[in-house]
Amino acid sequence: MRSPVVIAVGGNSLIRAGEDQSYERQLENVRSTVECIADLAERGHRIVITHGNGPHVGAQLLRAEAGIDQAYAVPLDVCVAMTQGEIGYVIQRALHAELRRRDVRMPVVTIVTQVVVRRDDPAFSHPTKPIGPFYDDHTAAQRKAGRGWVMTEDASRGYRRVVPCPVPMGIVELEPIRECLHRGAIVIAAGGGGIPVIEENGTLTGIEAVIDKDHTSALLASGIGAKTLLISTDVPEVYLNYMQPAEKALSWIDAATARKHLAGGHFHEGSMKPKIDAALEFLASGGEEVIITNPDHLINAVDGYGGTHITKSRTAEFALHEKGLFGWTEFRENH
């Protein structure tokens, strides 16, 4: 039986900038991704899908603001749980339909997933992650005084709430995820980076924070013994000097080279940096390969014809080629 594969799907794969945010549009957007996932399932891979939730959490918070005088307030950890159910259903339904179309009888399950963080994580003293809508001066001051929110100013758009983004330390539902995989199910888990909880005296308590999806995906991949982490994003490859005249696509790099480019400032926070950080964490914890690409190139990248491949070392790249991992048919020297 093949080792499991974790596929981390960006939240913007469902709700894309400039498009309407209807449920029907989300179904259309997810279809290309689930076709690739179904291809891997047909090849015999055991699959865990993680996903982002940025646009969906923003929509939940907008609904909460609109109904502030008519409905109960929903804390941020509950918002994450709600989006896990919502997005899990969208992916689950689309993937189920695609598998049935191919006459593949494979269950798809969504597991509402809690992720443990430390109360003393430095992120709680320095919130940096913007969420939700923009506010004018007066409303921002009200939220700050009445709810204790930390607000940051955007010179052109107003004020926005910022929350902590702590490091994920453990996945509460890891054993159920493993069990579902063992029984042949495709699992959707750890949506939005997981529901942030702290553990004190054996009790789990939700906390106001968000967790980076890619870091949680790396932690989950290591926890289930995956050898490969696929990160689906909005670009076909990782680039140096992105969108500049000297732009260069990276087809393959080892961990040392990735760290060098990271230190050189090529990968930005809120964009590619968390993905590279997560890739390095995964490789340091026993993973063999990370592939970063967009949904349209996912299968070609898996077959060695695109995307950015990150391995522990140059020797590891040769080993993957020799093993024929993911059906590689040629070895490319293009760095």
Side-chain angles (χ1 to χ4, degrees):
M1 183 179 292
R2 294 189 186 220
S3 66
V5 176
V6 172
I7 305 173
V9 178
N12 290 322
S13 294
L14 293 175
I15 296 180
R16 299 175 184 173
E19 292 184 348
D20 72 82
Q21 299 185 7
S22 67
Y23 171 70
E24 291 74 16
R25 172 58 65 182
Q26 291 184 57
L27 274 179
E28 287 295 322
N29 289 341
V30 80
R31 279 183 183 132
S32 62
T33 299
V34 301
E35 286 175 6
C36 299
I37 294 169
D39 285 341
L40 293 178
E42 283 192 305
R43 296 181 185 188
H45 294 288
R46 294 183 292 153
I47 298 168
V48 175
I49 304 164
T50 65
H51 60 80
N53 69 344
H56 299 77
V57 163
Q60 288 286 2
L61 293 171
L62 280 170
R63 293 185 190 106
E65 286 294 303
I68 195 168
D69 295 324
Q70 299 177 349
Y72 58 87
V74 179
L76 188 52
D77 57 305
V78 176
C79 280
V80 175
M82 294 166 73
T83 61
Q84 283 190 2
E86 175 190 356
I87 300 171
Y89 168 60
V90 171
I91 297 174
Q92 196 171 316
R93 179 178 168 186
L95 184 53
H96 179 267
E98 180 62 24
L99 292 171
R100 289 296 295 268
R101 187 183 69 80
R102 301 176 185 221
D103 198 28
V104 175
R105 305 295 174 176
M106 186 176 293
V108 184
V109 298
T110 298
I111 296 179
V112 174
T113 312
Q114 302 168 95
V115 174
V116 176
V117 299
R118 297 192 342 257
R119 184 185 284 278
D120 62 352
D121 189 301
F124 287 106
S125 300
H126 303 283
T128 58
K129 183 71 172 178
I131 62 167
F134 288 91
Y135 299 92
D136 59 27
D137 294 14
H138 176 69
T139 307
Q142 283 186 326
R143 297 292 184 268
K144 187 174 181 179
R147 302 187 189 179
W149 287 2
V150 178
M151 308 295 288
T152 186
E153 184 178 7
D154 183 299
S156 60
R157 292 185 286 182
Y159 291 83
R160 201 174 183 197
R161 182 186 180 191
V162 290
V163 299
C165 187
V167 175
M169 303 302 295
I171 296 170
V172 176
E173 288 75 22
L174 185 60
E175 285 305 318
I177 293 168
R178 285 174 175 161
E179 182 63 22
C180 288
L181 276 175
H182 179 71
R183 291 178 176 271
I186 296 175
V187 182
I188 303 164
I195 304 163
V197 296
I198 55 172
E199 184 173 8
E200 294 177 326
N201 301 319
T203 299
L204 297 174
T205 304
I207 193 164
E208 294 269 298
V210 294
I211 306 172
D212 180 80
K213 172 263 299 179
D214 296 309
H215 286 277
T216 299
S217 298
L219 181 65
L220 175 57
S222 299
I224 62 174
K227 298 303 180 184
T228 302
L229 171 61
L230 305 175
I231 299 178
S232 176
T233 184
D234 57 357
V235 291
E237 294 175 294
V238 177
Y239 298 89
L240 300 181
N241 305 306
Y242 182 55
M243 297 187 72
Q244 298 178 31
E247 179 181 275
K248 178 185 178 182
L250 300 173
S251 296
W252 172 83
I253 53 174
D254 60 15
T257 304
R259 281 191 291 270
K260 181 184 75 173
H261 292 323
L262 195 61
H266 283 283
F267 310 128
H268 299 146
E269 200 68 61
S271 178
M272 195 55 68
K273 183 178 183 297
K275 295 171 176 53
I276 301 299
D277 283 335
L280 293 172
E281 291 170 10
F282 174 64
L283 295 173
S285 300
E288 293 184 356
E289 183 181 27
V290 178
I291 301 173
I292 303 176
T293 190
N294 60 6
D296 292 341
H297 293 83
L298 193 61
I299 285 298
N300 283 341
V302 162
D303 288 337
Y305 295 102
T308 295
H309 300 252
I310 308 174
T311 56
K312 291 180 183 179
S313 65
R314 181 69 182 222
T315 303
E317 174 73 359
F318 277 107
L320 288 174
H321 171 61
E322 291 299 321
K323 285 167 59 179
L325 191 67
F326 283 130
W328 280 49
T329 57
E330 66 176 35
F331 179 68
R332 297 169 302 133
E333 293 291 343
N334 181 12
H335 290 205

